[in-house]
Amino acid sequence: MYYYKKLFQLLALFFSVLFFSQIHKKDTLQGEFTYLLKAKLNTLTPDYKHEEFFSLQIGNKRAFFVSIQSLKRDSVFQALPIKTLENGAKLLSSKGVSVPKTKFSFTIIQSNENIQYFNLVGMSILTYKEPVIKNWKLIDEKKIINTINCKKAEVTFKGRNWTAWYSSEIPLPYGPYKFSGLPGLIIKITDDKGDYDFELVKSIPASKLKDKLITIKKSRYTEAIETTRQKFEKALKDANANLIGALQSSETTIIQGQEVIRQIQKEREENRKYENPIELEKD
C-alpha cells in the first residue's frame, strides 16, 4: 500500500514539473528590445513627429509587439478603484489619476505562421490574421547602426515602400509592427516618405533574461473574437459611430447631454480626414 502511495506521489510530482516546464518554456523571454517610433501622424502638421516607445518581447515561437505607454496604462487601470452607481452600473474611477496616453493600443503577435493583430473595439477584443511578409528584397549593402552590423532589405507593404536594416548576428526573425521574416532582427526600418521610422534603442542582455517571462497581459490577446481585416475595420467604424448608443446601453451618465459626445464624434471625423496611417492600403 505504501509502495503505490509513494509511486502516485512521484508520478504527480513528475507531471507537475513537466507541466510547469512546458508553460515556463512557452513564456520564457528569449529577447527583449525597445524601439522608438518617430511618426508624422497628421498631414496638417507635417513638421511634427509623434514619438512613442514600443516593446518587442520574444519567446520561443512567437514575439509580442506593443506600446510601452499602453502597457503602463494597463497597470494604471488595473489599480483603479471601481465605483458603483445608484443604478448598479460599475465604472472605473480615474479621478485624480494620471492615465498614460498612447496613440497605439494594439497588440501584435508575430510567429513563423502568421501575424496576428489585436485591439479593443467597443467592449470586445477583436483579432485578425495576416501572412508573414515574404516579398523582402535582400540588398548587398551593409551599415553599422549603434555599433550593430546591419544588412539592407526592401519591401512594399500596405502602400508604402520600406527600407529595413537587419542584423544576421542577432538570428531572431522579428521586428517592429508587422515586419518580420528577415534572417535577423530588424534594427531600423523607415518608409521612403520619412513618415514612419522605427529604430532599436535598447536591448536587455541575455544574461539578465534568465528565468524571465513575457510580461504582456494575457487579457490583451486571449479570448479575442477572431474576424477578418475587412470586418474588423467595419466594426471599428461602427463602434465610433455608435459611441452614444454604447454609453447608453452601459447605463453611463453623459454629463451635459449627448451634444458633448456628438461634438467629440464630429471632431474625430474631421481629424480623420487628415490622418496619415502607417498602412495606406487595407488589403
Side-chain angles (χ1 to χ4, degrees):
M1 187 71 178
Y2 172 80
Y3 170 78
Y4 289 109
K5 182 178 180 182
K6 196 70 175 176
L7 179 62
F8 176 79
Q9 289 175 338
L10 288 172
L11 285 172
L13 178 62
F14 170 76
F15 284 111
S16 296
V17 171
L18 180 64
F19 176 77
F20 175 79
S21 65
Q22 292 299 316
I23 296 297
H24 187 268
K25 182 178 180 182
K26 181 180 178 182
D27 294 334
T28 299
L29 271 174
Q30 303 298 310
E32 185 172 4
F33 305 91
T34 300
Y35 288 85
L36 172 61
L37 168 66
K38 296 180 180 179
K40 297 178 182 179
L41 301 179
N42 195 303
T43 57
L44 284 178
T45 54
D47 295 328
Y48 169 74
K49 283 191 175 183
H50 172 76
E51 295 188 3
E52 193 159 336
F53 291 98
F54 288 80
S55 174
L56 178 67
Q57 299 184 29
I58 300 174
N60 279 14
K61 295 183 178 180
R62 57 183 181 173
F64 295 76
F65 186 74
V66 62
S67 161
I68 291 177
Q69 282 293 98
S70 186
L71 293 178
K72 290 179 179 178
R73 190 177 61 179
D74 285 351
S75 299
V76 170
F77 281 157
Q78 191 172 10
L80 287 178
I82 299 177
K83 181 180 179 180
T84 303
L85 303 180
E86 292 181 359
N87 57 15
K90 294 183 178 181
L91 294 174
L92 290 175
S93 178
S94 58
K95 186 177 180 180
V97 178
S98 177
V99 179
K101 294 181 180 180
T102 177
K103 298 288 187 180
F104 307 94
S105 56
F106 58 72
T107 302
I108 292 175
I109 299 180
Q110 305 173 3
S111 70
N112 291 332
E113 290 76 33
N114 54 53
I115 304 299
Q116 195 161 5
Y117 181 98
F118 301 80
N119 212 340
L120 180 67
V121 178
M123 302 298 288
S124 303
I125 299 289
L126 299 187
T127 178
Y128 63 83
K129 294 178 180 178
E130 292 183 328
V132 176
I133 298 173
K134 299 290 187 182
N135 59 327
W136 287 104
K137 182 181 179 182
L138 304 185
I139 310 296
D140 186 19
E141 189 174 334
K142 298 179 180 179
K143 184 178 181 179
I144 297 177
I145 300 175
N146 297 329
T147 72
I148 302 173
N149 293 317
C150 300
K151 298 178 181 179
K152 188 177 182 180
E154 296 177 344
V155 71
T156 297
F157 180 73
K158 305 291 185 179
R160 290 185 184 272
N161 299 316
W162 295 87
T163 296
W165 294 93
Y166 67 96
S167 176
S168 54
E169 296 175 358
I170 308 175
L172 298 169
Y174 305 110
Y177 193 57
K178 298 177 180 178
F179 299 107
S180 65
L182 282 170
L185 184 73
I186 295 176
I187 307 302
K188 183 180 178 68
I189 184 165
T190 311
D191 76 299
D192 61 356
K193 296 179 180 179
D195 289 347
Y196 284 82
D197 176 271
F198 291 96
E199 183 170 349
L200 178 67
V201 294
K202 181 182 177 182
S203 62
I204 305 298
S207 60
K208 293 186 178 182
L209 293 178
K210 186 178 180 181
D211 297 326
K212 279 198 170 186
L213 304 179
I214 287 173
T215 58
I216 309 298
K217 286 179 61 178
K218 290 188 175 181
S219 59
R220 295 183 70 101
Y221 59 92
T222 57
E223 300 181 8
I225 300 172
E226 188 167 348
T227 185
T228 63
R229 174 64 184 266
Q230 292 77 12
K231 290 181 179 179
F232 175 90
E233 294 294 338
K234 183 179 185 304
L236 185 61
K237 184 177 180 181
D238 291 345
N240 289 332
N242 295 330
L243 182 58
I244 294 177
L247 290 172
Q248 287 177 331
S249 65
S250 61
E251 298 183 337
T252 302
T253 301
I254 304 175
I255 301 174
Q256 294 180 354
Q258 297 181 355
E259 286 305 316
V260 175
I261 305 302
R262 289 196 180 95
Q263 183 61 32
I264 293 174
Q265 284 183 305
K266 184 178 179 180
E267 290 175 1
R268 283 184 177 180
E269 289 298 325
E270 189 65 24
N271 290 335
R272 203 165 283 127
K273 297 177 184 177
Y274 305 103
E275 285 180 353
N276 185 30
I278 189 169
E279 298 183 17
L280 298 177
E281 297 176 0
K282 298 301 182 182
D283 296 318

PDB file of all heavy atoms in Angstrom, residues 223-249:
ATOM      1  N   GLU A 223      -8.916  35.003 -25.542  1.00  0.00           N
ATOM      2  CA  GLU A 223     -10.376  35.114 -25.630  1.00  0.00           C
ATOM      3  C   GLU A 223     -10.810  36.236 -26.575  1.00  0.00           C
ATOM      4  O   GLU A 223     -11.892  36.812 -26.428  1.00  0.00           O
ATOM      5  CB  GLU A 223     -10.995  35.313 -24.239  1.00  0.00           C
ATOM      6  CG  GLU A 223     -10.695  34.163 -23.289  1.00  0.00           C
ATOM      7  CD  GLU A 223     -11.340  34.352 -21.928  1.00  0.00           C
ATOM      8  OE1 GLU A 223     -12.141  35.294 -21.784  1.00  0.00           O
ATOM      9  OE2 GLU A 223     -11.059  33.547 -21.035  1.00  0.00           O
ATOM     10  N   ALA A 224      -9.959  36.571 -27.530  1.00  0.00           N
ATOM     11  CA  ALA A 224     -10.327  37.579 -28.534  1.00  0.00           C
ATOM     12  C   ALA A 224     -11.261  36.950 -29.566  1.00  0.00           C
ATOM     13  O   ALA A 224     -11.223  35.742 -29.815  1.00  0.00           O
ATOM     14  CB  ALA A 224      -9.074  38.117 -29.218  1.00  0.00           C
ATOM     15  N   ILE A 225     -12.086  37.781 -30.164  1.00  0.00           N
ATOM     16  CA  ILE A 225     -13.009  37.320 -31.213  1.00  0.00           C
ATOM     17  C   ILE A 225     -12.292  37.431 -32.558  1.00  0.00           C
ATOM     18  O   ILE A 225     -11.925  38.525 -32.986  1.00  0.00           O
ATOM     19  CB  ILE A 225     -14.287  38.166 -31.222  1.00  0.00           C
ATOM     20  CG1 ILE A 225     -14.996  38.069 -29.865  1.00  0.00           C
ATOM     21  CG2 ILE A 225     -15.225  37.711 -32.349  1.00  0.00           C
ATOM     22  CD1 ILE A 225     -16.159  39.033 -29.716  1.00  0.00           C
ATOM     23  N   GLU A 226     -12.094  36.296 -33.215  1.00  0.00           N
ATOM     24  CA  GLU A 226     -11.367  36.311 -34.482  1.00  0.00           C
ATOM     25  C   GLU A 226     -12.279  36.739 -35.628  1.00  0.00           C
ATOM     26  O   GLU A 226     -13.429  36.300 -35.731  1.00  0.00           O
ATOM     27  CB  GLU A 226     -10.777  34.934 -34.778  1.00  0.00           C
ATOM     28  CG  GLU A 226      -9.853  34.932 -35.989  1.00  0.00           C
ATOM     29  CD  GLU A 226      -9.021  33.678 -36.109  1.00  0.00           C
ATOM     30  OE1 GLU A 226      -8.973  32.881 -35.154  1.00  0.00           O
ATOM     31  OE2 GLU A 226      -8.407  33.489 -37.179  1.00  0.00           O
ATOM     32  N   THR A 227     -11.771  37.596 -36.475  1.00  0.00           N
ATOM     33  CA  THR A 227     -12.535  38.103 -37.611  1.00  0.00           C
ATOM     34  C   THR A 227     -11.584  38.348 -38.776  1.00  0.00           C
ATOM     35  O   THR A 227     -10.428  37.948 -38.734  1.00  0.00           O
ATOM     36  CB  THR A 227     -13.282  39.401 -37.213  1.00  0.00           C
ATOM     37  OG1 THR A 227     -14.109  39.824 -38.285  1.00  0.00           O
ATOM     38  CG2 THR A 227     -12.304  40.515 -36.868  1.00  0.00           C
ATOM     39  N   THR A 228     -12.084  38.987 -39.821  1.00  0.00           N
ATOM     40  CA  THR A 228     -11.228  39.343 -40.953  1.00  0.00           C
ATOM     41  C   THR A 228     -10.831  40.815 -40.837  1.00  0.00           C
ATOM     42  O   THR A 228     -11.430  41.567 -40.063  1.00  0.00           O
ATOM     43  CB  THR A 228     -11.952  39.134 -42.288  1.00  0.00           C
ATOM     44  OG1 THR A 228     -13.090  40.012 -42.333  1.00  0.00           O
ATOM     45  CG2 THR A 228     -12.418  37.699 -42.433  1.00  0.00           C
ATOM     46  N   ARG A 229      -9.872  41.211 -41.624  1.00  0.00           N
ATOM     47  CA  ARG A 229      -9.441  42.613 -41.597  1.00  0.00           C
ATOM     48  C   ARG A 229     -10.599  43.524 -42.002  1.00  0.00           C
ATOM     49  O   ARG A 229     -10.829  44.574 -41.390  1.00  0.00           O
ATOM     50  CB  ARG A 229      -8.246  42.812 -42.540  1.00  0.00           C
ATOM     51  CG  ARG A 229      -7.786  44.267 -42.713  1.00  0.00           C
ATOM     52  CD  ARG A 229      -7.274  44.832 -41.395  1.00  0.00           C
ATOM     53  NE  ARG A 229      -6.922  46.234 -41.506  1.00  0.00           N
ATOM     54  CZ  ARG A 229      -5.703  46.680 -41.772  1.00  0.00           C
ATOM     55  NH1 ARG A 229      -4.712  45.833 -41.995  1.00  0.00           N
ATOM     56  NH2 ARG A 229      -5.452  47.972 -41.813  1.00  0.00           N
ATOM     57  N   GLN A 230     -11.329  43.142 -43.032  1.00  0.00           N
ATOM     58  CA  GLN A 230     -12.439  43.955 -43.517  1.00  0.00           C
ATOM     59  C   GLN A 230     -13.524  44.122 -42.445  1.00  0.00           C
ATOM     60  O   GLN A 230     -14.026  45.229 -42.200  1.00  0.00           O
ATOM     61  CB  GLN A 230     -13.039  43.341 -44.784  1.00  0.00           C
ATOM     62  CG  GLN A 230     -12.143  43.375 -46.005  1.00  0.00           C
ATOM     63  CD  GLN A 230     -11.059  42.311 -45.971  1.00  0.00           C
ATOM     64  OE1 GLN A 230     -11.092  41.399 -45.141  1.00  0.00           O
ATOM     65  NE2 GLN A 230     -10.092  42.419 -46.880  1.00  0.00           N
ATOM     66  N   LYS A 231     -13.865  43.010 -41.779  1.00  0.00           N
ATOM     67  CA  LYS A 231     -14.892  43.063 -40.739  1.00  0.00           C
ATOM     68  C   LYS A 231     -14.395  43.825 -39.515  1.00  0.00           C
ATOM     69  O   LYS A 231     -15.180  44.493 -38.826  1.00  0.00           O
ATOM     70  CB  LYS A 231     -15.323  41.639 -40.361  1.00  0.00           C
ATOM     71  CG  LYS A 231     -16.115  40.932 -41.456  1.00  0.00           C
ATOM     72  CD  LYS A 231     -16.531  39.545 -41.023  1.00  0.00           C
ATOM     73  CE  LYS A 231     -17.338  38.849 -42.119  1.00  0.00           C
ATOM     74  NZ  LYS A 231     -17.730  37.459 -41.720  1.00  0.00           N
ATOM     75  N   PHE A 232     -13.105  43.735 -39.258  1.00  0.00           N
ATOM     76  CA  PHE A 232     -12.521  44.493 -38.149  1.00  0.00           C
ATOM     77  C   PHE A 232     -12.681  45.990 -38.395  1.00  0.00           C
ATOM     78  O   PHE A 232     -13.096  46.733 -37.502  1.00  0.00           O
ATOM     79  CB  PHE A 232     -11.038  44.133 -38.000  1.00  0.00           C
ATOM     80  CG  PHE A 232     -10.325  44.953 -36.953  1.00  0.00           C
ATOM     81  CD1 PHE A 232     -10.261  44.527 -35.637  1.00  0.00           C
ATOM     82  CD2 PHE A 232      -9.720  46.157 -37.293  1.00  0.00           C
ATOM     83  CE1 PHE A 232      -9.612  45.294 -34.667  1.00  0.00           C
ATOM     84  CE2 PHE A 232      -9.069  46.931 -36.338  1.00  0.00           C
ATOM     85  CZ  PHE A 232      -9.015  46.492 -35.021  1.00  0.00           C
ATOM     86  N   GLU A 233     -12.339  46.434 -39.606  1.00  0.00           N
ATOM     87  CA  GLU A 233     -12.444  47.851 -39.939  1.00  0.00           C
ATOM     88  C   GLU A 233     -13.883  48.338 -39.850  1.00  0.00           C
ATOM     89  O   GLU A 233     -14.154  49.452 -39.373  1.00  0.00           O
ATOM     90  CB  GLU A 233     -11.886  48.105 -41.340  1.00  0.00           C
ATOM     91  CG  GLU A 233     -10.394  47.853 -41.485  1.00  0.00           C
ATOM     92  CD  GLU A 233      -9.542  48.809 -40.687  1.00  0.00           C
ATOM     93  OE1 GLU A 233     -10.040  49.909 -40.357  1.00  0.00           O
ATOM     94  OE2 GLU A 233      -8.379  48.470 -40.393  1.00  0.00           O
ATOM     95  N   LYS A 234     -14.822  47.497 -40.285  1.00  0.00           N
ATOM     96  CA  LYS A 234     -16.241  47.873 -40.224  1.00  0.00           C
ATOM     97  C   LYS A 234     -16.708  47.978 -38.771  1.00  0.00           C
ATOM     98  O   LYS A 234     -17.423  48.912 -38.394  1.00  0.00           O
ATOM     99  CB  LYS A 234     -17.099  46.856 -40.972  1.00  0.00           C
ATOM    100  CG  LYS A 234     -18.583  47.225 -41.022  1.00  0.00           C
ATOM    101  CD  LYS A 234     -19.390  46.211 -41.800  1.00  0.00           C
ATOM    102  CE  LYS A 234     -20.841  46.656 -41.954  1.00  0.00           C
ATOM    103  NZ  LYS A 234     -21.499  46.930 -40.649  1.00  0.00           N
ATOM    104  N   ALA A 235     -16.280  47.008 -37.937  1.00  0.00           N
ATOM    105  CA  ALA A 235     -16.663  47.029 -36.526  1.00  0.00           C
ATOM    106  C   ALA A 235     -16.100  48.267 -35.829  1.00  0.00           C
ATOM    107  O   ALA A 235     -16.768  48.892 -34.998  1.00  0.00           O
ATOM    108  CB  ALA A 235     -16.161  45.762 -35.837  1.00  0.00           C
ATOM    109  N   LEU A 236     -14.881  48.654 -36.189  1.00  0.00           N
ATOM    110  CA  LEU A 236     -14.257  49.844 -35.603  1.00  0.00           C
ATOM    111  C   LEU A 236     -15.019  51.100 -36.005  1.00  0.00           C
ATOM    112  O   LEU A 236     -15.278  51.983 -35.171  1.00  0.00           O
ATOM    113  CB  LEU A 236     -12.797  49.928 -36.057  1.00  0.00           C
ATOM    114  CG  LEU A 236     -11.951  51.047 -35.456  1.00  0.00           C
ATOM    115  CD1 LEU A 236     -11.864  50.904 -33.938  1.00  0.00           C
ATOM    116  CD2 LEU A 236     -10.560  51.043 -36.068  1.00  0.00           C
ATOM    117  N   LYS A 237     -15.384  51.173 -37.274  1.00  0.00           N
ATOM    118  CA  LYS A 237     -16.139  52.322 -37.768  1.00  0.00           C
ATOM    119  C   LYS A 237     -17.504  52.400 -37.087  1.00  0.00           C
ATOM    120  O   LYS A 237     -17.949  53.477 -36.671  1.00  0.00           O
ATOM    121  CB  LYS A 237     -16.320  52.214 -39.286  1.00  0.00           C
ATOM    122  CG  LYS A 237     -17.015  53.399 -39.918  1.00  0.00           C
ATOM    123  CD  LYS A 237     -17.092  53.245 -41.427  1.00  0.00           C
ATOM    124  CE  LYS A 237     -17.795  54.428 -42.065  1.00  0.00           C
ATOM    125  NZ  LYS A 237     -17.883  54.267 -43.552  1.00  0.00           N
ATOM    126  N   ASP A 238     -18.170  51.257 -36.951  1.00  0.00           N
ATOM    127  CA  ASP A 238     -19.487  51.217 -36.300  1.00  0.00           C
ATOM    128  C   ASP A 238     -19.386  51.592 -34.827  1.00  0.00           C
ATOM    129  O   ASP A 238     -20.257  52.295 -34.294  1.00  0.00           O
ATOM    130  CB  ASP A 238     -20.103  49.817 -36.439  1.00  0.00           C
ATOM    131  CG  ASP A 238     -20.496  49.488 -37.873  1.00  0.00           C
ATOM    132  OD1 ASP A 238     -20.560  50.426 -38.702  1.00  0.00           O
ATOM    133  OD2 ASP A 238     -20.720  48.303 -38.171  1.00  0.00           O
ATOM    134  N   ALA A 239     -18.312  51.124 -34.160  1.00  0.00           N
ATOM    135  CA  ALA A 239     -18.142  51.417 -32.734  1.00  0.00           C
ATOM    136  C   ALA A 239     -17.958  52.911 -32.509  1.00  0.00           C
ATOM    137  O   ALA A 239     -18.519  53.484 -31.568  1.00  0.00           O
ATOM    138  CB  ALA A 239     -16.946  50.647 -32.189  1.00  0.00           C
ATOM    139  N   ASN A 240     -17.203  53.569 -33.385  1.00  0.00           N
ATOM    140  CA  ASN A 240     -17.001  55.012 -33.267  1.00  0.00           C
ATOM    141  C   ASN A 240     -18.300  55.771 -33.548  1.00  0.00           C
ATOM    142  O   ASN A 240     -18.612  56.768 -32.889  1.00  0.00           O
ATOM    143  CB  ASN A 240     -15.912  55.476 -34.239  1.00  0.00           C
ATOM    144  CG  ASN A 240     -14.533  55.017 -33.808  1.00  0.00           C
ATOM    145  OD1 ASN A 240     -14.280  54.829 -32.623  1.00  0.00           O
ATOM    146  ND2 ASN A 240     -13.645  54.829 -34.774  1.00  0.00           N
ATOM    147  N   ALA A 241     -19.068  55.277 -34.534  1.00  0.00           N
ATOM    148  CA  ALA A 241     -20.328  55.940 -34.891  1.00  0.00           C
ATOM    149  C   ALA A 241     -21.389  55.756 -33.815  1.00  0.00           C
ATOM    150  O   ALA A 241     -22.265  56.604 -33.637  1.00  0.00           O
ATOM    151  CB  ALA A 241     -20.838  55.399 -36.224  1.00  0.00           C
ATOM    152  N   ASN A 242     -21.294  54.655 -33.080  1.00  0.00           N
ATOM    153  CA  ASN A 242     -22.319  54.328 -32.082  1.00  0.00           C
ATOM    154  C   ASN A 242     -21.858  54.625 -30.663  1.00  0.00           C
ATOM    155  O   ASN A 242     -22.273  53.964 -29.715  1.00  0.00           O
ATOM    156  CB  ASN A 242     -22.705  52.848 -32.190  1.00  0.00           C
ATOM    157  CG  ASN A 242     -23.371  52.532 -33.509  1.00  0.00           C
ATOM    158  OD1 ASN A 242     -24.033  53.385 -34.095  1.00  0.00           O
ATOM    159  ND2 ASN A 242     -23.200  51.316 -33.997  1.00  0.00           N
ATOM    160  N   LEU A 243     -21.000  55.625 -30.513  1.00  0.00           N
ATOM    161  CA  LEU A 243     -20.472  55.944 -29.195  1.00  0.00           C
ATOM    162  C   LEU A 243     -21.572  56.295 -28.205  1.00  0.00           C
ATOM    163  O   LEU A 243     -21.574  55.841 -27.063  1.00  0.00           O
ATOM    164  CB  LEU A 243     -19.477  57.112 -29.309  1.00  0.00           C
ATOM    165  CG  LEU A 243     -18.796  57.555 -28.009  1.00  0.00           C
ATOM    166  CD1 LEU A 243     -18.047  56.396 -27.382  1.00  0.00           C
ATOM    167  CD2 LEU A 243     -17.853  58.717 -28.288  1.00  0.00           C
ATOM    168  N   ILE A 244     -22.533  57.075 -28.645  1.00  0.00           N
ATOM    169  CA  ILE A 244     -23.633  57.461 -27.744  1.00  0.00           C
ATOM    170  C   ILE A 244     -24.443  56.240 -27.331  1.00  0.00           C
ATOM    171  O   ILE A 244     -24.736  56.043 -26.155  1.00  0.00           O
ATOM    172  CB  ILE A 244     -24.561  58.490 -28.429  1.00  0.00           C
ATOM    173  CG1 ILE A 244     -23.796  59.799 -28.663  1.00  0.00           C
ATOM    174  CG2 ILE A 244     -25.786  58.763 -27.568  1.00  0.00           C
ATOM    175  CD1 ILE A 244     -24.605  60.843 -29.394  1.00  0.00           C
ATOM    176  N   GLY A 245     -24.755  55.390 -28.303  1.00  0.00           N
ATOM    177  CA  GLY A 245     -25.541  54.193 -28.007  1.00  0.00           C
ATOM    178  C   GLY A 245     -24.815  53.265 -27.057  1.00  0.00           C
ATOM    179  O   GLY A 245     -25.422  52.665 -26.168  1.00  0.00           O
ATOM    180  N   ALA A 246     -23.491  53.146 -27.221  1.00  0.00           N
ATOM    181  CA  ALA A 246     -22.704  52.273 -26.346  1.00  0.00           C
ATOM    182  C   ALA A 246     -22.737  52.776 -24.906  1.00  0.00           C
ATOM    183  O   ALA A 246     -22.873  52.018 -23.959  1.00  0.00           O
ATOM    184  CB  ALA A 246     -21.269  52.200 -26.842  1.00  0.00           C
ATOM    185  N   LEU A 247     -22.646  54.101 -24.741  1.00  0.00           N
ATOM    186  CA  LEU A 247     -22.694  54.678 -23.403  1.00  0.00           C
ATOM    187  C   LEU A 247     -24.070  54.496 -22.776  1.00  0.00           C
ATOM    188  O   LEU A 247     -24.200  54.192 -21.594  1.00  0.00           O
ATOM    189  CB  LEU A 247     -22.333  56.165 -23.461  1.00  0.00           C
ATOM    190  CG  LEU A 247     -20.866  56.475 -23.788  1.00  0.00           C
ATOM    191  CD1 LEU A 247     -20.696  57.972 -24.008  1.00  0.00           C
ATOM    192  CD2 LEU A 247     -19.948  55.993 -22.695  1.00  0.00           C
ATOM    193  N   GLN A 248     -25.102  54.649 -23.594  1.00  0.00           N
ATOM    194  CA  GLN A 248     -26.464  54.489 -23.081  1.00  0.00           C
ATOM    195  C   GLN A 248     -26.736  53.043 -22.685  1.00  0.00           C
ATOM    196  O   GLN A 248     -27.359  52.766 -21.661  1.00  0.00           O
ATOM    197  CB  GLN A 248     -27.469  54.942 -24.135  1.00  0.00           C
ATOM    198  CG  GLN A 248     -27.518  56.445 -24.317  1.00  0.00           C
ATOM    199  CD  GLN A 248     -28.464  56.857 -25.424  1.00  0.00           C
ATOM    200  OE1 GLN A 248     -28.675  56.119 -26.383  1.00  0.00           O
ATOM    201  NE2 GLN A 248     -29.021  58.049 -25.312  1.00  0.00           N
ATOM    202  N   SER A 249     -26.264  52.096 -23.486  1.00  0.00           N
ATOM    203  CA  SER A 249     -26.519  50.688 -23.206  1.00  0.00           C
ATOM    204  C   SER A 249     -25.821  50.235 -21.936  1.00  0.00           C
ATOM    205  O   SER A 249     -26.255  49.299 -21.272  1.00  0.00           O
ATOM    206  CB  SER A 249     -26.051  49.816 -24.376  1.00  0.00           C
ATOM    207  OG  SER A 249     -24.644  49.898 -24.523  1.00  0.00           O
TER     208      SER A 249
END
